[in-house]
Amino acid sequence: MAIVGEVEHPYVPRDLKLPGFVPAFLPPSTIVGAYLLASLLAVSIVWIGSGRIHKISKLDRILMCWWIFTGLTHMVLEGYFVFTPDFYKKTTPVYLAEVWKEYSKGDSRYAARDSGVVSIEGVTVVLEGPFCLLTLFAIATKKSYRYVIQLAISLGQLYGTIVYFLTSYLDGDNFAASWFYYYAYYVLANAFWVLIPTAISVHCWKKICEAIKDQDLKKTKTS
């Protein structure tokens, strides 16, 4: 454990300066469990609600669930981090502060307010979060731009996640308290924002290409 004044923190590097650090109040199981339950509730509401939409495919319903999950994660969870630089000083059990105290065990750059991480998260919160909810609306109402906006946001998520990993690597990739936290929080938790946006990008790319091809064929027939 690193010592900052008279208070110990569990993060790496051990000499990380966190003046006023207050240890977490909630156990990891409660923090992670609450996040999973809240996410499940949001996804369930969208899944049930989307079933009432006329002629909507199962794939589109699944995509709507993803966009509500990732949108709320960006705006609520990551939004708190961006706009609460002193989260590690909270002297009462504020849930969102507890989340970031715990996650920092996998990547201490969050507790240290690394400028690169704050910048990436700031763009994600301000731009990607609201557009995720707009995408949810676009799919539900079958807007013509629904594939374009999904492709754009997915590429933005991929870019942000890749930069997130690259900056850690270039800075030594030594920000996790243990291998468990490294793989559970840093690798596994973020892998969803690589795999799912990649799959959505491919899907939307194909849909856009098909639409353009059909439009070209119509023009050819009428000319």
Side-chain angles (χ1 to χ4, degrees):
M1 304 285 282
I3 299 179
V4 181
E6 297 181 354
V7 181
E8 296 181 339
H9 73 64
Y11 309 128
V12 171
R14 300 302 183 186
D15 60 354
L16 177 64
K17 304 299 181 183
L18 295 176
F21 173 77
V22 176
F25 294 91
L26 302 176
S29 58
T30 299
I31 296 170
V32 176
Y35 173 67
L36 294 177
L37 284 175
S39 299
L40 180 60
L41 176 62
V43 167
S44 297
I45 291 173
V46 170
W47 177 259
I48 295 171
S50 64
R52 299 174 179 272
I53 300 174
H54 183 60
K55 291 184 179 180
I56 187 171
S57 68
K58 183 175 291 186
L59 177 57
D60 279 341
R61 294 177 68 192
I62 293 173
L63 288 171
M64 289 175 67
C65 290
W66 163 252
W67 290 118
I68 191 65
F69 165 73
T70 189
L72 292 179
T73 296
H74 292 332
M75 295 177 68
V76 179
L77 205 63
E78 295 167 71
Y80 181 85
F81 163 75
V82 170
F83 297 109
T84 313
D86 61 343
F87 69 85
Y88 62 83
K89 299 180 182 180
K90 296 300 180 182
T91 56
T92 55
V94 179
Y95 174 72
L96 292 176
E98 297 291 287
V99 169
W100 292 111
K101 287 180 184 179
E102 179 64 22
Y103 182 79
S104 293
K105 295 176 183 176
D107 188 350
S108 64
R109 293 180 298 168
Y110 280 81
R113 300 296 292 181
D114 177 84
S115 59
V117 169
V118 174
S119 298
I120 293 170
E121 293 288 13
V123 172
T124 300
V125 169
V126 175
L127 295 180
E128 293 180 6
F131 275 102
C132 287
L133 301 187
L134 176 60
T135 300
L136 179 72
F137 169 77
I139 296 174
T141 55
K142 298 181 174 62
K143 296 295 184 182
S144 59
Y145 60 81
R146 63 188 182 275
Y147 295 115
V148 175
I149 193 172
Q150 287 184 84
L151 177 60
I153 299 173
S154 295
L155 291 177
Q157 290 178 325
L158 277 172
Y159 175 79
T161 307
I162 291 171
V163 171
Y164 172 67
F165 283 131
L166 280 178
T167 51
S168 176
Y169 174 77
L170 293 174
D171 286 338
D173 200 21
N174 184 33
F175 302 102
S178 70
W179 284 108
F180 170 78
Y181 292 115
Y182 180 83
Y183 285 107
Y185 292 171
Y186 178 71
V187 175
L188 181 60
N190 289 288
F192 291 102
W193 277 270
V194 173
L195 299 176
I196 297 177
T198 297
I200 293 175
S201 296
V202 172
H203 168 68
C204 292
W205 178 265
K206 290 180 178 179
K207 287 291 185 179
I208 293 170
C209 289
E210 288 174 5
I212 294 174
K213 183 178 180 180
D214 290 343
Q215 187 66 26
D216 289 343
L217 286 173
K218 289 179 182 179
K219 288 182 179 179
T220 300
K221 292 178 179 178
T222 56
S223 60

